[in-house]
Amino acid sequence: MSVVVLGAGMHPWGKWGRPFTEYGVAAAREALSDAGVGWGDVQYVVGAATIRNGYPGFVAGATYARALGWSGARIASCYAACASGAQAIDIARTRILAGLCDVALVVGADSTPKGFFKPVGGERPDDPDWLRFRLLGATNPAYFGLYARRRMALHGSTPEDFAAVKVKNALAGSLNPMARYRGTVTAEEVLASPMVAEPLRLMDICATSDGGAALVLASSAYARRRGATDAVRLAAVSTVTPTFPSTVLELPEFATDSRAAVPAPERPFRAAVAHAAYEEAGLGPREVSFAEVYDLSTALELDWVEDVGLCPPGEAEKLLRAGDTALGGRVPVNPSGGLASFGEAIPAQAIAQVCELTRQLQGRAGGRQVEGARVGLAVNQGLFGHGSAVIATR
Amino acid sequence: MTLAIEGWFVIEEGGTHLIGTRCASCGTVAFPPRSGFCPNPGCESESVEAARLSRRGRIWSYTNACYPPPEPFVAARPYTPVVLAAVELAREGIVVLGQVKGLTVEELEVGMEVELTHGPLADGPLVWMWGPVS
Ligand SMILES: [Zn+2]
């Protein structure tokens, strides 16, 4: 028995300024229609949550269920920062695998305020996410800047390499009607954009967006009964934590774990997230046709390319320069346009990644279609140690 | 003298020290200090003691904030970019993030040695900072 994607739907990303429920409901209705499943047939609803403006739990499964019309379906909500969507998928998938339901709807959506993400208000010195702003002024881009500078020192990456990632992803995004940024850009434009967090410029860093994404998941038996004999299969969902000692300074931490007593693990966190998915799917990086990676910054995409095993450490620039990771290349990375073209709508983003896996594997990705796509990988990392990776196959 | 956070660092005549915790059994260090038990999952010890961390380390990476960070950070007016460094302490095997004092982002390099000091936030309280080796 396996779990398949019966339908996928999205509300276009943007800065629409509407309530998030609208985006989630639009995405859900599109996913249901894509699946040919009625809302009343859905047995289980999972909402990917975010925590915004001191109102935890508002962006939740029941919010969408109510908007769609109370149906008496079973319900769940989950929060795992940027990995919320992947965990929502995992919860629905697990319940289907357990035989407790046949068909489930997974929804994530967000409306984001302008500017830097900032922590929930008030005086909260017990919360590291509040303290890092208070004591250090360490924004999210500051951490991305640290990783980028580290990469430059370790592997000789240049700002021109980072700009080339943006150029590549903007081109892919220009072919995606769901993306927020649809224009192509030049390296000169990236390199002339204002510096935000050395060495990263405005166009190296992903924006925050409004958007919604939804999936209808079903057991393969249910899909067959509906006549869907060749549906995209979820081969793995990995949601792992780091292994002690985690020696990369992770957002929003003040320090790494100590390797005074225990040596660093064989795989750092991001590599471990992908590895667990490969193990579960019984596949390896060589079999990956394309990958959606969490490019919070241009430089971070290069880290991910290595972490998911598409090349050895330090060689991501080589792939980039050879066009291997571009559309039409050997293994396209972020054929959707990635966060560079979408901006981050936190609880929707990991679900949107799986929407892209689905469209690519179905051969329905239009101008950005990866030829002969058989295996798609999506990876993501949420605050506080929430890893996630999804492998889908056809 | 008001510290921006209690128990994470101490300012003395001999210099500023970060205060972490060290497991009495396996030697694992933690910063910020934590109470209760050892963070090493392979260690059963519940005996963790406050420990002063090395005052010198090497830059693991660095960056700056070209725009004023949002609240609860209090930005100086006029604003000068906050410089941040993540510094690796060899003996403790950890990397600790801090603001940088007395060095611009152009003067920093990965691998460069720095020393712990302290300085004020824009609204007054003191915080630990990384600075040039004295
Ligand atoms: Zn211990």
Side-chain angles (χ1 to χ4, degrees):
Chain A
M1 220 266 274
S2 59
V3 172
V4 300
V5 181
L6 209 49
M10 292 174 73
H11 182 287
W13 262 230
K15 210 75 171 177
W16 311 113
R18 312 281 312 157
F20 70 88
T21 319
E22 284 186 23
Y23 315 141
V25 166
R29 289 170 64 93
E30 191 186 306
L32 289 166
S33 150
D34 189 41
V37 168
W39 162 236
D41 297 328
V42 171
Q43 299 158 353
Y44 190 47
V45 182
V46 189
T50 189
I51 292 175
R52 180 90 62 223
N53 304 324
Y55 200 167
F58 181 46
V59 187
T63 309
Y64 302 119
R66 181 181 191 177
L68 288 159
W70 294 130
S71 68
R74 289 185 185 245
I75 188 89
S77 304
C78 77
Y79 176 71
C82 303
S84 296
Q87 288 207 353
I89 291 168
D90 195 39
I91 291 167
R93 166 180 172 263
T94 306
R95 199 165 175 94
I96 294 169
L97 286 173
L100 293 171
C101 76
D102 300 309
V103 57
L105 174 69
V106 180
V107 190
D110 204 0
S111 298
T112 52
K114 208 174 167 336
F116 286 121
F117 273 135
K118 54 182 175 189
V120 178
E123 187 89 4
R124 295 179 304 102
D126 294 331
D127 176 1
D129 197 34
W130 185 88
L131 271 178
R132 59 147 168 156
F133 283 93
R134 171 65 186 135
L135 301 180
L136 305 179
T139 59
N140 292 3
Y143 286 81
F144 311 153
L146 291 171
Y147 305 149
R149 176 62 65 182
R150 178 77 183 164
R151 184 169 181 87
M152 290 170 78
L154 236 48
H155 301 310
S157 316
T158 65
E160 288 73 20
D161 293 324
F162 301 158
V165 173
K166 175 71 175 186
V167 171
K168 168 183 80 69
N169 288 347
L171 179 60
S174 75
L175 303 170
N176 190 344
M178 290 300 134
R180 172 175 171 190
Y181 301 104
R182 302 290 313 280
T184 56
V185 302
T186 64
E188 291 69 33
E189 287 170 321
V190 181
L191 293 166
S193 66
M195 192 67 82
V196 172
E198 284 269 358
L200 297 177
R201 296 175 179 275
L202 190 61
M203 290 174 78
D204 286 306
I205 296 167
C206 95
T208 62
S209 292
D210 297 1
L215 294 166
V216 176
L217 303 183
S219 67
S220 46
Y222 182 93
R224 266 196 308 277
R225 287 202 297 278
R226 296 242 156 194
T229 50
D230 193 23
V232 169
R233 194 174 76 90
L234 289 182
V237 183
S238 119
T239 54
V240 297
T241 71
T243 299
F244 182 88
S246 181
T247 56
V248 175
L249 185 71
E250 299 286 0
L251 234 151
E253 307 292 342
F254 286 88
T256 61
D257 290 337
S258 155
R259 27 181 191 75
V262 183
E266 184 189 349
R267 288 180 196 85
F269 184 32
R270 286 192 302 269
V273 168
H275 180 76
Y278 287 134
E279 291 272 288
E280 189 173 304
L283 294 167
R286 283 168 190 280
E287 278 125 328
V288 169
S289 317
F290 66 99
E292 286 285 311
V293 308
Y294 221 58
D295 57 320
L296 292 163
S297 81
T298 50
L300 198 61
E301 174 173 310
L302 298 168
D303 287 340
W304 272 118
V305 164
E306 296 161 8
D307 292 327
V308 307
L310 299 183
C311 65
E315 295 189 9
E317 284 82 0
K318 229 196 277 180
L319 263 64
L320 175 72
R321 291 177 198 140
D324 287 350
T325 55
L327 282 177
R330 184 171 61 79
V331 52
V333 172
N334 285 326
S336 71
L339 292 175
S341 303
F342 275 75
E344 194 183 17
I346 292 179
Q349 212 64 46
I351 300 172
Q353 287 184 317
V354 178
C355 289
E356 179 68 10
L357 299 192
T358 303
R359 289 290 176 258
Q360 290 286 355
L361 293 167
Q362 289 172 329
R364 292 167 66 195
R368 59 183 200 287
Q369 181 63 47
V370 175
E371 286 305 317
R374 305 297 298 178
V375 176
L377 168 73
V379 284
N380 168 308
Q381 182 182 357
L383 219 62
F384 298 113
H386 290 106
S388 85
V390 177
I391 293 176
T393 60
R394 185 70 186 274
Chain B
M1 188 167 70
T2 310
L3 305 189
I5 186 150
E6 286 297 329
W8 287 26
F9 67 107
V10 60
I11 299 168
E12 289 175 352
E13 235 170 76
T16 307
H17 298 259
L18 289 170
I19 300 173
T21 43
R22 179 177 281 110
C23 172
S25 171
C26 77
T28 290
V29 173
F31 180 83
R34 50 176 283 158
S35 56
F37 54 93
C38 177
N40 170 7
C43 175
E44 299 282 305
S45 172
E46 293 184 4
S47 169
V48 292
E49 300 154 349
R52 292 182 174 203
L53 307 190
S54 302
R55 296 192 58 242
R56 287 188 184 185
R58 293 192 179 276
I59 293 181
W60 181 83
S61 192
Y62 62 93
T63 186
N64 66 354
C66 300
Y67 295 90
E71 289 176 358
F73 187 78
V74 180
R77 287 170 207 224
Y79 176 72
T80 43
V82 174
V83 180
L84 294 168
V87 174
E88 188 157 23
L89 308 180
R91 184 163 56 97
E92 291 81 1
I94 70 173
V95 173
V96 180
L97 189 59
Q99 287 193 41
V100 174
K101 178 180 172 180
L103 290 165
T104 65
V105 78
E106 289 78 20
E107 291 169 315
L108 299 180
E109 255 180 75
V110 170
M112 176 178 159
E113 193 171 37
V114 287
E115 184 174 297
L116 197 74
T117 178
H118 61 268
L121 295 170
D123 56 337
L126 299 173
V127 70
W128 77 90
M129 293 185 178
W130 296 110
V133 172
S134 58

